[in-house]
mmCIF file of all heavy atoms in Angstrom:
data_model
loop_
_atom_site.group_PDB
_atom_site.id
_atom_site.type_symbol
_atom_site.label_atom_id
_atom_site.label_comp_id
_atom_site.label_asym_id
_atom_site.label_seq_id
_atom_site.Cartn_x
_atom_site.Cartn_y
_atom_site.Cartn_z
ATOM 1 N N PHE B 47 178.544 -174.566 124.678
ATOM 2 C CA PHE B 47 178.064 -175.949 124.596
ATOM 3 C C PHE B 47 177.249 -176.166 123.316
ATOM 4 O O PHE B 47 177.445 -177.141 122.590
ATOM 5 C CB PHE B 47 177.208 -176.272 125.834
ATOM 6 C CG PHE B 47 176.636 -177.652 125.823
ATOM 7 C CD1 PHE B 47 177.425 -178.744 126.157
ATOM 8 C CD2 PHE B 47 175.304 -177.873 125.458
ATOM 9 C CE1 PHE B 47 176.896 -180.027 126.128
ATOM 10 C CE2 PHE B 47 174.776 -179.152 125.421
ATOM 11 C CZ PHE B 47 175.575 -180.241 125.758
ATOM 12 N N GLY B 48 176.356 -175.225 123.045
ATOM 13 C CA GLY B 48 175.505 -175.340 121.854
ATOM 14 C C GLY B 48 176.311 -175.253 120.564
ATOM 15 O O GLY B 48 176.084 -176.018 119.624
ATOM 16 N N ALA B 49 177.279 -174.338 120.529
ATOM 17 C CA ALA B 49 178.094 -174.165 119.325
ATOM 18 C C ALA B 49 178.932 -175.426 119.078
ATOM 19 O O ALA B 49 179.037 -175.922 117.953
ATOM 20 C CB ALA B 49 179.004 -172.946 119.478
ATOM 21 N N LEU B 50 179.491 -175.949 120.162
ATOM 22 C CA LEU B 50 180.329 -177.147 120.042
ATOM 23 C C LEU B 50 179.501 -178.328 119.529
ATOM 24 O O LEU B 50 179.940 -179.087 118.650
ATOM 25 C CB LEU B 50 180.953 -177.461 121.407
ATOM 26 C CG LEU B 50 181.999 -178.569 121.478
ATOM 27 C CD1 LEU B 50 183.088 -178.374 120.439
ATOM 28 C CD2 LEU B 50 182.623 -178.611 122.872
ATOM 29 N N LYS B 51 178.292 -178.433 120.056
ATOM 30 C CA LYS B 51 177.404 -179.507 119.632
ATOM 31 C C LYS B 51 177.062 -179.381 118.137
ATOM 32 O O LYS B 51 177.046 -180.373 117.397
ATOM 33 C CB LYS B 51 176.126 -179.442 120.479
ATOM 34 C CG LYS B 51 175.405 -180.752 120.561
ATOM 35 C CD LYS B 51 174.374 -180.771 121.681
ATOM 36 C CE LYS B 51 173.376 -181.886 121.370
ATOM 37 N NZ LYS B 51 172.428 -182.134 122.429
ATOM 38 N N ALA B 52 176.825 -178.155 117.698
ATOM 39 C CA ALA B 52 176.530 -177.921 116.274
ATOM 40 C C ALA B 52 177.747 -178.235 115.399
ATOM 41 O O ALA B 52 177.624 -178.858 114.339
ATOM 42 C CB ALA B 52 176.088 -176.470 116.066
ATOM 43 N N HIS B 53 178.929 -177.824 115.857
ATOM 44 C CA HIS B 53 180.148 -178.136 115.089
ATOM 45 C C HIS B 53 180.325 -179.651 114.971
ATOM 46 O O HIS B 53 180.666 -180.167 113.910
ATOM 47 C CB HIS B 53 181.388 -177.533 115.764
ATOM 48 C CG HIS B 53 181.408 -176.045 115.798
ATOM 49 N ND1 HIS B 53 180.921 -175.269 114.774
ATOM 50 C CD2 HIS B 53 181.864 -175.164 116.745
ATOM 51 C CE1 HIS B 53 181.066 -173.981 115.084
ATOM 52 N NE2 HIS B 53 181.627 -173.898 116.270
ATOM 53 N N ARG B 54 180.102 -180.328 116.083
ATOM 54 C CA ARG B 54 180.213 -181.794 116.075
ATOM 55 C C ARG B 54 179.276 -182.400 115.020
ATOM 56 O O ARG B 54 179.696 -183.169 114.157
ATOM 57 C CB ARG B 54 179.861 -182.389 117.457
ATOM 58 C CG ARG B 54 180.989 -182.421 118.478
ATOM 59 C CD ARG B 54 182.051 -183.473 118.170
ATOM 60 N NE ARG B 54 181.504 -184.803 117.940
ATOM 61 C CZ ARG B 54 181.258 -185.675 118.902
ATOM 62 N NH1 ARG B 54 181.517 -185.381 120.161
ATOM 63 N NH2 ARG B 54 180.772 -186.876 118.592
ATOM 64 N N SER B 55 178.007 -182.030 115.104
ATOM 65 C CA SER B 55 177.044 -182.750 114.263
ATOM 66 C C SER B 55 177.059 -182.286 112.811
ATOM 67 O O SER B 55 176.696 -183.054 111.920
ATOM 68 C CB SER B 55 175.638 -182.678 114.866
ATOM 69 O OG SER B 55 175.210 -181.344 114.939
ATOM 70 N N HIS B 56 177.503 -181.049 112.552
ATOM 71 C CA HIS B 56 177.465 -180.551 111.175
ATOM 72 C C HIS B 56 178.827 -180.553 110.486
ATOM 73 O O HIS B 56 178.901 -180.426 109.274
ATOM 74 C CB HIS B 56 176.868 -179.148 111.128
ATOM 75 C CG HIS B 56 175.433 -179.116 111.549
ATOM 76 N ND1 HIS B 56 174.428 -179.623 110.753
ATOM 77 C CD2 HIS B 56 174.841 -178.681 112.692
ATOM 78 C CE1 HIS B 56 173.266 -179.479 111.384
ATOM 79 N NE2 HIS B 56 173.490 -178.921 112.559
ATOM 80 N N ALA B 57 179.916 -180.631 111.244
ATOM 81 C CA ALA B 57 181.234 -180.568 110.595
ATOM 82 C C ALA B 57 182.136 -181.751 110.990
ATOM 83 O O ALA B 57 182.640 -182.473 110.132
ATOM 84 C CB ALA B 57 181.926 -179.245 110.933
ATOM 85 N N ILE B 58 182.297 -181.931 112.288
ATOM 86 C CA ILE B 58 183.287 -182.919 112.757
ATOM 87 C C ILE B 58 182.837 -184.352 112.448
ATOM 88 O O ILE B 58 183.546 -185.112 111.784
ATOM 89 C CB ILE B 58 183.511 -182.795 114.285
ATOM 90 C CG1 ILE B 58 183.642 -181.336 114.724
ATOM 91 C CG2 ILE B 58 184.672 -183.654 114.723
ATOM 92 C CD1 ILE B 58 184.922 -180.670 114.457
ATOM 93 N N ASP B 59 181.659 -184.710 112.940
ATOM 94 C CA ASP B 59 181.206 -186.093 112.785
ATOM 95 C C ASP B 59 181.039 -186.497 111.322
ATOM 96 O O ASP B 59 181.433 -187.612 110.943
ATOM 97 C CB ASP B 59 179.923 -186.334 113.583
ATOM 98 C CG ASP B 59 180.178 -186.321 115.095
ATOM 99 O OD1 ASP B 59 181.300 -185.952 115.492
ATOM 100 O OD2 ASP B 59 179.276 -186.668 115.862
ATOM 101 N N PRO B 60 180.474 -185.607 110.460
ATOM 102 C CA PRO B 60 180.395 -185.988 109.041
ATOM 103 C C PRO B 60 181.775 -186.186 108.409
ATOM 104 O O PRO B 60 181.950 -187.075 107.570
ATOM 105 C CB PRO B 60 179.673 -184.793 108.391
ATOM 106 C CG PRO B 60 178.916 -184.140 109.501
ATOM 107 C CD PRO B 60 179.734 -184.356 110.733
ATOM 108 N N ALA B 61 182.750 -185.358 108.789
ATOM 109 C CA ALA B 61 184.106 -185.518 108.232
ATOM 110 C C ALA B 61 184.690 -186.866 108.664
ATOM 111 O O ALA B 61 185.300 -187.588 107.866
ATOM 112 C CB ALA B 61 185.011 -184.368 108.682
ATOM 113 N N ILE B 62 184.486 -187.200 109.926
ATOM 114 C CA ILE B 62 184.996 -188.488 110.433
ATOM 115 C C ILE B 62 184.330 -189.643 109.686
ATOM 116 O O ILE B 62 184.993 -190.583 109.244
ATOM 117 C CB ILE B 62 184.758 -188.597 111.959
ATOM 118 C CG1 ILE B 62 185.636 -187.580 112.699
ATOM 119 C CG2 ILE B 62 185.046 -190.020 112.457
ATOM 120 C CD1 ILE B 62 185.285 -187.413 114.174
ATOM 121 N N ALA B 63 183.026 -189.543 109.523
ATOM 122 C CA ALA B 63 182.297 -190.618 108.838
ATOM 123 C C ALA B 63 182.746 -190.746 107.383
ATOM 124 O O ALA B 63 182.962 -191.852 106.891
ATOM 125 C CB ALA B 63 180.796 -190.358 108.912
ATOM 126 N N SER B 64 182.922 -189.602 106.712
ATOM 127 C CA SER B 64 183.250 -189.680 105.282
ATOM 128 C C SER B 64 184.650 -190.231 105.063
ATOM 129 O O SER B 64 184.959 -190.740 103.992
ATOM 130 C CB SER B 64 183.071 -188.319 104.602
ATOM 131 O OG SER B 64 184.199 -187.514 104.793
ATOM 132 N N HIS B 65 185.512 -190.157 106.070
ATOM 133 C CA HIS B 65 186.866 -190.710 105.943
ATOM 134 C C HIS B 65 187.013 -192.030 106.710
ATOM 135 O O HIS B 65 188.134 -192.464 106.991
ATOM 136 C CB HIS B 65 187.901 -189.679 106.385
ATOM 137 C CG HIS B 65 187.932 -188.475 105.492
ATOM 138 N ND1 HIS B 65 188.453 -188.520 104.218
ATOM 139 C CD2 HIS B 65 187.477 -187.220 105.653
ATOM 140 C CE1 HIS B 65 188.326 -187.320 103.653
ATOM 141 N NE2 HIS B 65 187.733 -186.524 104.496
ATOM 142 N N GLU B 66 185.892 -192.600 107.072
ATOM 143 C CA GLU B 66 185.866 -193.930 107.684
ATOM 144 C C GLU B 66 186.605 -194.018 109.005
ATOM 145 O O GLU B 66 187.254 -195.022 109.311
ATOM 146 C CB GLU B 66 186.411 -194.979 106.691
ATOM 147 C CG GLU B 66 185.543 -195.065 105.440
ATOM 148 C CD GLU B 66 186.193 -195.918 104.335
ATOM 149 O OE1 GLU B 66 186.938 -196.849 104.662
ATOM 150 O OE2 GLU B 66 185.919 -195.616 103.153
ATOM 151 N N GLY B 67 186.516 -192.943 109.772
ATOM 152 C CA GLY B 67 187.094 -192.977 111.114
ATOM 153 C C GLY B 67 186.131 -193.608 112.103
ATOM 154 O O GLY B 67 184.925 -193.684 111.856
ATOM 155 N N ARG B 68 186.668 -194.072 113.220
ATOM 156 C CA ARG B 68 185.835 -194.641 114.283
ATOM 157 C C ARG B 68 186.066 -193.791 115.536
ATOM 158 O O ARG B 68 187.206 -193.676 115.998
ATOM 159 C CB ARG B 68 186.241 -196.086 114.566
ATOM 160 C CG ARG B 68 185.423 -196.755 115.661
ATOM 161 C CD ARG B 68 185.812 -198.216 115.854
ATOM 162 N NE ARG B 68 187.087 -198.383 116.566
ATOM 163 C CZ ARG B 68 187.222 -198.372 117.888
ATOM 164 N NH1 ARG B 68 186.172 -198.195 118.663
ATOM 165 N NH2 ARG B 68 188.415 -198.534 118.448
ATOM 166 N N ILE B 69 185.008 -193.175 116.049
ATOM 167 C CA ILE B 69 185.134 -192.385 117.266
ATOM 168 C C ILE B 69 185.312 -193.336 118.439
ATOM 169 O O ILE B 69 184.441 -194.152 118.727
ATOM 170 C CB ILE B 69 183.908 -191.472 117.474
ATOM 171 C CG1 ILE B 69 183.835 -190.444 116.327
ATOM 172 C CG2 ILE B 69 183.978 -190.766 118.826
ATOM 173 C CD1 ILE B 69 182.609 -189.532 116.374
ATOM 174 N N VAL B 70 186.474 -193.236 119.089
ATOM 175 C CA VAL B 70 186.775 -194.134 120.209
ATOM 176 C C VAL B 70 186.156 -193.588 121.486
ATOM 177 O O VAL B 70 185.557 -194.309 122.266
ATOM 178 C CB VAL B 70 188.302 -194.298 120.394
ATOM 179 C CG1 VAL B 70 188.615 -195.160 121.604
ATOM 180 C CG2 VAL B 70 188.935 -194.871 119.131
ATOM 181 N N LYS B 71 186.325 -192.281 121.691
ATOM 182 C CA LYS B 71 185.707 -191.667 122.874
ATOM 183 C C LYS B 71 185.658 -190.169 122.705
ATOM 184 O O LYS B 71 186.388 -189.582 121.905
ATOM 185 C CB LYS B 71 186.461 -192.043 124.141
ATOM 186 C CG LYS B 71 187.867 -191.478 124.215
ATOM 187 C CD LYS B 71 188.562 -191.887 125.516
ATOM 188 C CE LYS B 71 189.067 -193.323 125.465
ATOM 189 N NZ LYS B 71 189.900 -193.707 126.607
ATOM 190 N N THR B 72 184.794 -189.552 123.469
ATOM 191 C CA THR B 72 184.717 -188.102 123.492
ATOM 192 C C THR B 72 184.794 -187.648 124.945
ATOM 193 O O THR B 72 184.409 -188.379 125.863
ATOM 194 C CB THR B 72 183.387 -187.597 122.888
ATOM 195 O OG1 THR B 72 182.314 -188.186 123.621
ATOM 196 C CG2 THR B 72 183.259 -187.999 121.424
#
Side-chain angles (χ1 to χ4, degrees):
Chain B
F47 178 78
L50 187 51
K51 204 165 160 173
H53 295 324
R54 276 287 308 273
S55 62
H56 295 288
I58 316 283
D59 290 9
I62 292 169
S64 83
H65 295 288
E66 298 170 30
R68 180 177 75 84
I69 296 176
V70 177
K71 66 180 78 172
T72 57

